Amino acid sequence: MTGLCGVALALLGAQEAEGGKGNWGPCEVIITDGNPECVSNQRVCWEMNRQEHRDALAVTGTRVVLPVSFRTLRWMRNDPHGEIQNILHNCASNIEAAHPSTVFPRATKLSTSSPVDVIIGADCLFFKEFHEDLLYTLYALLGCGCIDSSSGSSMGRVVYLLQPRRGGTMELFLSCLRSNPQYNGTFKVDVVEDFDEEVRLARVSIQSSRL
């Protein structure tokens, strides 16, 4: 599900990047999975969608598509395989190539400076055994969270986790976050239901048809 979202962002995000208005806009989309076979399948899907996108725009004109990369990312505390550091390093290098005046530190430990602005995850909370590892992964990728713990101000980074409650696993994840001072001080949590009226009505219709 997140892979599809990443494909759409790569195609639509290029429009924002072209708009400019003095801002950078998005620079890159990174699609991850913990299963290397899924990563390979995502790469194939992307190539198919990119070609279709090119064919569709052949008539209306050329539009640059954002760079997309695919990475294996296993949620594990302390990043024993170096997968988080590889993502951060490659992402920072790509931004620096596009914007030479910007330099990100290549620290091997957690840093408050991160080239990652937005993380989107879909249905990631159903295994409660991985909640702590997922929190660490989000914390590390976003440069120690979304909020500056010393000032309480936002650092402009955000995580969107999209999923059902799944028997209370979402509440368990939030409890895990709030019980850990390291994470609770650097993530501001908003739980949003019925975020889109069209989606809500479609869900109500489906539920009603099953009665």
Side-chain angles (χ1 to χ4, degrees):
M1 288 180 283
T2 309
L4 177 60
C5 180
V7 168
L9 287 173
L11 299 178
L12 298 176
Q15 300 179 27
E16 178 69 21
E18 283 190 350
K21 297 182 180 180
N23 299 320
W24 283 8
C27 295
E28 180 183 16
V29 173
I30 303 171
I31 299 176
T32 69
D33 198 283
N35 187 328
E37 292 186 6
C38 290
V39 175
S40 298
N41 290 336
Q42 289 171 339
R43 188 176 291 110
V44 172
C45 290
W46 165 243
E47 291 300 329
M48 294 173 64
N49 278 276
R50 182 169 62 171
Q51 186 56 53
E52 289 184 7
H53 181 70
R54 287 173 175 170
D55 294 342
L57 290 178
V59 177
T60 58
T62 304
R63 184 179 295 279
V64 176
V65 176
L66 289 180
V68 179
S69 60
F70 302 85
R71 303 283 178 180
T72 299
L73 178 60
R74 288 163 284 188
W75 308 334
M76 301 181 73
R77 274 164 284 186
N78 300 318
D79 192 25
H81 302 287
E83 292 166 349
I84 294 174
Q85 283 302 315
N86 286 338
I87 289 173
L88 292 176
H89 178 87
N90 291 331
C91 187
S93 297
N94 291 338
I95 292 177
E96 290 169 1
H99 306 279
S101 62
T102 302
V103 177
F104 287 97
R106 296 302 196 273
T108 56
K109 297 182 179 180
L110 291 176
S111 169
T112 56
S113 178
S114 172
V116 178
D117 296 308
V118 181
I119 296 176
I120 301 176
D123 209 5
C124 294
L125 307 182
F126 50 88
F127 289 126
K128 61 183 180 181
E129 296 83 1
F130 292 109
H131 285 177
E132 186 74 26
D133 295 299
L134 175 57
L135 279 169
Y136 175 88
T137 301
L138 298 174
Y139 183 79
L141 284 172
L142 287 178
C144 305
C146 306
I147 304 295
D148 186 334
S149 57
S150 60
S151 66
S153 60
S154 171
M155 295 191 289
R157 304 166 194 155
V158 63
V159 179
Y160 295 102
L161 295 179
L162 315 172
Q163 66 272 312
R165 295 183 180 275
R166 283 202 183 278
T169 54
M170 186 183 80
E171 285 74 14
L172 287 173
F173 175 79
L174 294 176
S175 176
C176 180
L177 184 155
R178 289 164 177 155
S179 65
N180 188 316
Q182 182 181 39
Y183 302 136
N184 190 41
T186 52
F187 286 101
K188 177 180 179 294
V189 178
D190 292 313
V191 178
V192 180
E193 297 188 62
D194 299 335
F195 59 90
D196 183 276
E197 182 64 12
E198 185 176 353
V199 172
R200 185 189 72 82
L201 291 174
R203 178 172 177 268
V204 170
S205 176
I206 292 172
Q207 288 179 325
S208 298
S209 67
R210 292 176 176 174
L211 296 178

